Amino acid sequence: TQLLEQSPQFLSIQEGENLTVYCNSSSVFSSLQWYRQEPGEGPVLLVTVVTGGEVKKLKRLTFQFGDARKDSSLHITAAQPGDTGLYLCAGEDQAGTALIFGKGTTLSVSS
Amino acid sequence: EPEVTQTPSHQVTQMGQEVILRCVPISNHLYFYWYRQILGQKVEFLVSFYNNEISEKSEIFDDQFSVERPDGSNFTLKIRSTKLEDSAMYFCASSGESRYNEQFFGPGTRLTVL
């Protein structure tokens, strides 16, 4: 069974701090996607990482895919209150259609 | 920017009743999906649909569930006889020709079964 474990589960920080959240698995994924979800809304796709060792930047967000394609990280620089939300990683299952989601990291940034 | 839409946003029903949740995927997408998220839990895959047939389904998607693409735009999820444990947010998603199965999600329908 493919599983994605995310850590930490909750993170509460002050505006301006840096943070990293992690997404780990014992399985290899062909790609991993990061989503952000607001309460009562659907997940919004942030980025897809596809190559082992790949680094993608989206403004203050930096996404990295592990060399073995089993893990990924999301680093936020100088967090702002607008970054508050649930961050989810998801990978394609072996059958190739379903996305398997992690439980997510709930980030709270206070000013 | 094109987006996935879902109706209704909230649905309250009595246990044992049938419900139909509706989705309009992004217009040039070919793959359609339903996921659910029970309050406080992770997003779970239900079913994927391509070329007018189910391509993959999870253990959750039992005989009480069915999907249909009745016309060129709508994609529906029917639950025949709802149970209390069907209460959840239901998300529709669609994806196009991307090699990496990038799925775009709708805002969800909150289903409450009483």
Side-chain angles (χ1 to χ4, degrees):
Chain A
T1 303
Q2 294 174 285
L3 288 174
L4 286 167
E5 303 285 346
Q6 290 191 245
S7 61
Q9 187 176 356
F10 299 98
L11 191 54
S12 182
I13 61 172
Q14 294 289 318
E15 182 176 2
E17 292 184 27
N18 302 331
L19 66 113
T20 302
V21 300
Y22 300 92
C23 174
N24 295 296
S25 177
S26 58
S27 305
V28 175
F29 286 90
S30 57
S31 64
L32 277 181
Q33 298 171 21
W34 283 91
Y35 289 84
R36 179 176 158 182
Q37 186 179 24
E38 301 290 342
E41 298 181 13
V44 175
L45 180 64
L46 295 175
V47 78
T48 302
V49 286
V50 301
T51 307
E54 179 178 10
V55 176
K56 279 191 174 177
K57 289 183 184 289
L58 190 66
K59 297 183 181 177
R60 293 176 294 100
L61 278 60
T62 302
F63 304 85
Q64 186 160 8
F65 202 11
D67 291 341
R69 292 186 288 125
K70 292 182 179 181
D71 56 86
S72 183
S73 63
L74 158 59
H75 181 79
I76 301 179
T77 304
Q80 298 177 1
D83 295 327
T84 294
L86 176 65
Y87 290 83
L88 301 166
C89 67
E92 196 173 74
D93 78 347
Q94 289 172 347
T97 58
L99 285 181
I100 297 165
F101 279 83
K103 289 186 177 179
T105 293
T106 299
L107 172 65
S108 174
V109 183
S110 51
S111 55
Chain B
E1 187 168 331
E3 57 183 19
V4 176
T5 60
Q6 291 185 244
T7 55
S9 56
H10 294 91
Q11 174 90 50
V12 181
T13 190
Q14 294 290 325
M15 189 169 57
Q17 295 296 302
E18 174 183 287
V19 294
I20 297 176
L21 310 183
R22 292 182 166 80
C23 168
V24 178
I26 293 173
S27 62
N28 62 345
H29 281 182
L30 301 175
Y31 302 85
F32 314 116
Y33 313 85
W34 284 101
Y35 291 81
R36 79 171 185 191
Q37 186 176 33
I38 294 170
L39 186 64
Q41 299 187 23
K42 64 181 177 180
V43 177
E44 301 174 289
F45 169 75
L46 293 178
V47 65
S48 59
F49 192 85
Y50 172 72
N51 200 26
N52 283 319
E53 60 182 26
I54 290 173
S55 48
E56 187 182 356
K57 61 182 181 179
S58 71
E59 292 176 353
I60 303 168
F61 194 87
D62 61 21
D63 292 344
Q64 293 299 312
F65 291 87
S66 61
V67 289
E68 193 177 33
R69 187 153 163 83
D71 54 44
S73 59
N74 290 284
F75 179 51
T76 63
L77 174 70
K78 182 192 292 187
I79 309 175
R80 251 181 282 283
S81 177
T82 50
K83 303 187 284 287
L84 295 176
E85 53 265 38
D86 293 327
S87 295
M89 282 288 285
Y90 287 81
F91 295 108
C92 173
S94 68
S95 64
E97 294 293 340
S98 166
R99 215 180 129 186
Y100 304 112
N101 193 15
E102 293 174 317
Q103 297 182 19
F104 295 86
F105 284 75
T109 293
R110 180 174 299 283
L111 176 64
T112 302
V113 182
L114 303 176

